[in-house]
Amino acid sequence: MVVRGSAAPPTPWSGSLAQPRIDETAYVHSFSNIIGNVAIGANVLVAPGTSIRADEGSPFSIGEGSNVQDGVVIHGLEQGRVLGDDQQEYSVWIGKNTSITHMALIHGPVYIGDDCFIGFRSTIFNARIGDGSIVMMHALVQDVEIPPGRFVPSGSIITSQQQADRLPEVQPTDIQFAAHVVGVNNALRSGYHCAENVACITPIRQQLERVYSRDHAAGYPNESIPSSHTQDHMQYTTRLAPEVVEQVRQLLSQGLRIGMEHADARRFRISSWYSCTPIQSSRDSEVLTALEGCLAEHSGEYVRVFGIDTKTKRRVSEMIVQRPGDKPGNPSSVTTTSYAAPANSHSQPSRSYTATSSGRLNAEAVEKVRQFIAQGYKIGTEHADARRFRISSWYSCAPIQSNRDSEVLAALESCLTEHEGEYVRLFGIDTKTKRRVSELIVQRPDGSNNGSSNHTAQNSHQAPSSYQAPSSNGHRSHTAAPVTSGKLSGEVVNQVRQLLAQGYRVTAEHADARRFRISSWNSCTPIQSTRDSEVLAAIESCMTENSGEYVRLVGVDTKTKRRVAEVIVQRP
């Protein structure tokens, strides 16, 4: 190492010109910057690009076995001190075996205990973090004391003690994750020390050359040489279900790239996903590790993985591998969808589903049930024969009291079996406002079970409409028998009537293919009327005006100012 540190500059509050004190077993990269009264303990790793400046607030202490990763900034205010474990005052105290990960900001006065984990780009200021606590990515912790063994989710803003006291406890998998990071960085520290020592590195190079020569002579490609690094990663993928691991391997074996996306509950409901960090590797160990990183970074959100055909630039499969209700290390059952969509699409609904609950329910229905339950809604079911369906007269199935998805799905299947040959639909019930929030037809008399809430239904049973389609001269027809123009299916007409009957307003939106992929919609002419004939005519007008684009109708609860339904009624 060329540079290990420098003295603090002479200032009115610091005239001692104190030098950093760095244990011989620590590794401090030459591209890091350490200034002033900083004590770095045994077996510490300070990675490239770090800035540890005790030039205003001081002193700093970094305990043995800890690691300070790339881009971390540690600084302190002139005023304010914390009491370290040695009962001395410090501007910044970092305990033993603690990880301060990439781009984090630690600004004193700060106390961080032993065995802690501070995630990427998180900020800790004027705070105390108890032993064994884990702060995930992009979090802010300020002016509070975090009790020992607590978990701060990604994106959290913890600025009141009440928030801090209500944080959940860390799970065993979180502890394993933090310990894994420490282990990796200890290996890096040893490796860096060895790389600077010719006596250490020469035998390793010779051994690698012998292994390469042996395997090459045996006819094995270089990529197939077993790697303990790969084995370590495979042991680490404890959060991934076996079917997820198998799916990833199958996609890679087909020459596909792997992509990942995440969405919180609100964005999941409108099918608006964000991409995780792109995966450039095609090795299963590295892909699975990257997937684990995405799961950890977006704990409490939906995460899905998919294959990308780079030649045709299309998606070929999708699998949801994490839901907000999942406990670390215990992912919920996996839902797989399979369709051909543009690789950069963030909102394209799945079209051809391959996973079902037991054969009677398709993946869309299963996912809809899980969405409702995750949002705290009860599930209701209704059935109607063809005659009653045409007049929108439904009977209720047996009430479902449970909020466990397995029991709800079993009850729904029972309703399907009991009313085979009829229409069956499910819906969510907001028990607080006593309103329905969405509906999905899951069975039809012909035995099909394609959902109708996310796409235009193609159904031969057209419900009669109470509006008149525009005639050729631009005026509405005043014929006695109500007709449709063919643009709206009977189920869409029925959906509009239900929304209006529940007191919701209905509006319409359109988007071309590019805007559809990024879920950016433009509003059609506002619909002020609450009469179904006028609302349906307005939707048809929007479809005609935006022919060749996606058009969807939207139900709006004007009291709570939120959407309660979205139905795509036209595609390019």
Side-chain angles (χ1 to χ4, degrees), residues 452-520:
S452 62
S453 68
N454 289 337
H455 56 82
T456 305
Q458 301 298 327
N459 188 359
S460 60
H461 297 282
Q462 291 278 342
S465 173
S466 61
Y467 78 103
Q468 289 77 39
S471 64
S472 59
N473 61 3
H475 299 285
R476 287 199 183 96
S477 170
H478 293 280
T479 56
V483 296
T484 69
S485 69
K487 281 185 173 292
L488 295 177
S489 71
E491 292 178 18
V492 173
V493 173
N494 196 40
Q495 178 88 346
V496 169
R497 286 173 173 164
Q498 290 172 3
L499 291 170
L500 294 173
Q502 295 168 42
Y504 299 136
R505 300 299 293 269
V506 176
T507 187
E509 297 175 329
H510 66 95
D512 58 23
R514 183 181 66 83
R515 288 186 173 275
F516 177 79
R517 286 195 294 272
I518 61 174
S519 194
S520 175

Side-chain angles (χ1 to χ4, degrees), residues 13-281:
W13 57 86
S14 175
S16 63
L17 302 179
Q19 290 274 359
R21 303 182 308 283
I22 302 171
D23 189 276
E24 288 301 320
T25 61
Y27 181 85
V28 178
H29 197 276
S30 59
F31 288 172
S32 62
N33 187 22
I34 302 178
I35 296 175
N37 190 359
V38 180
I40 295 179
N43 300 320
V44 168
L45 170 67
V46 179
T50 57
S51 176
I52 305 174
R53 296 196 295 116
D55 51 8
E56 181 180 350
S58 70
F60 296 173
S61 177
I62 301 174
E64 64 183 60
S66 293
N67 56 88
V68 183
Q69 299 178 17
D70 311 64
V72 168
V73 174
I74 303 178
H75 197 241
L77 295 178
E78 176 191 357
Q79 303 297 325
R81 296 291 182 271
V82 295
L83 197 63
D85 291 349
D86 60 1
Q87 303 305 307
Q88 301 297 316
E89 290 188 343
Y90 292 86
S91 177
V92 174
W93 173 276
I94 297 174
K96 302 175 182 177
N97 300 316
T98 284
S99 294
I100 312 298
T101 65
H102 311 294
M103 306 296 287
L105 169 60
I106 311 300
H107 206 291
V110 161
Y111 173 98
I112 299 175
D114 299 342
D115 304 306
C116 290
F117 176 91
I118 309 300
F120 317 138
R121 292 185 179 274
S122 288
T123 298
I124 314 295
F125 170 60
N126 192 32
R128 186 179 183 90
I129 311 295
D131 292 349
S133 291
I134 292 179
V135 179
M136 295 303 287
M137 295 66 175
H138 293 263
L140 168 64
V141 179
Q142 177 181 340
D143 304 329
V144 296
E145 180 175 346
I146 304 293
R150 297 301 176 90
F151 181 86
V152 181
S154 294
S156 299
I157 299 177
I158 309 298
T159 55
S160 72
Q161 193 57 44
Q162 186 178 23
Q163 290 175 303
D165 292 338
R166 289 193 297 205
L167 289 169
E169 295 183 355
V170 298
Q171 300 295 317
T173 306
D174 301 321
I175 297 172
Q176 293 172 10
F177 171 63
H180 171 80
V181 174
V182 171
V184 167
N185 282 273
N186 278 333
L188 288 171
R189 175 188 53 79
S190 300
Y192 282 132
H193 273 307
C194 184
E196 293 182 344
N197 185 345
V198 175
C200 174
I201 201 68
T202 300
I204 296 176
R205 286 176 176 164
Q206 292 172 346
Q207 182 182 6
L208 288 174
E209 289 172 358
R210 286 195 298 271
V211 170
Y212 174 79
S213 299
R214 181 193 66 212
D215 289 335
H216 184 70
Y220 295 111
N222 194 35
E223 292 78 15
S224 67
I225 298 174
S227 167
S228 60
H229 181 66
T230 300
Q231 293 171 359
D232 289 342
H233 279 304
M234 292 309 297
Q235 293 171 357
Y236 172 58
T237 57
T238 53
R239 293 191 65 187
L240 298 179
E243 56 265 37
V244 177
V245 177
E246 187 61 31
Q247 175 82 349
V248 168
R249 287 173 174 163
Q250 288 179 6
L251 293 173
L252 291 172
S253 67
Q254 297 168 33
L256 304 173
R257 302 298 292 270
I258 304 298
M260 300 177 299
E261 294 175 331
H262 64 96
D264 57 23
R266 182 181 68 83
R267 289 191 170 273
F268 177 78
R269 287 195 294 272
I270 61 174
S271 192
S272 176
W273 296 75
Y274 286 122
S275 296
C276 299
T277 303
I279 304 175
Q280 304 300 333
S281 176

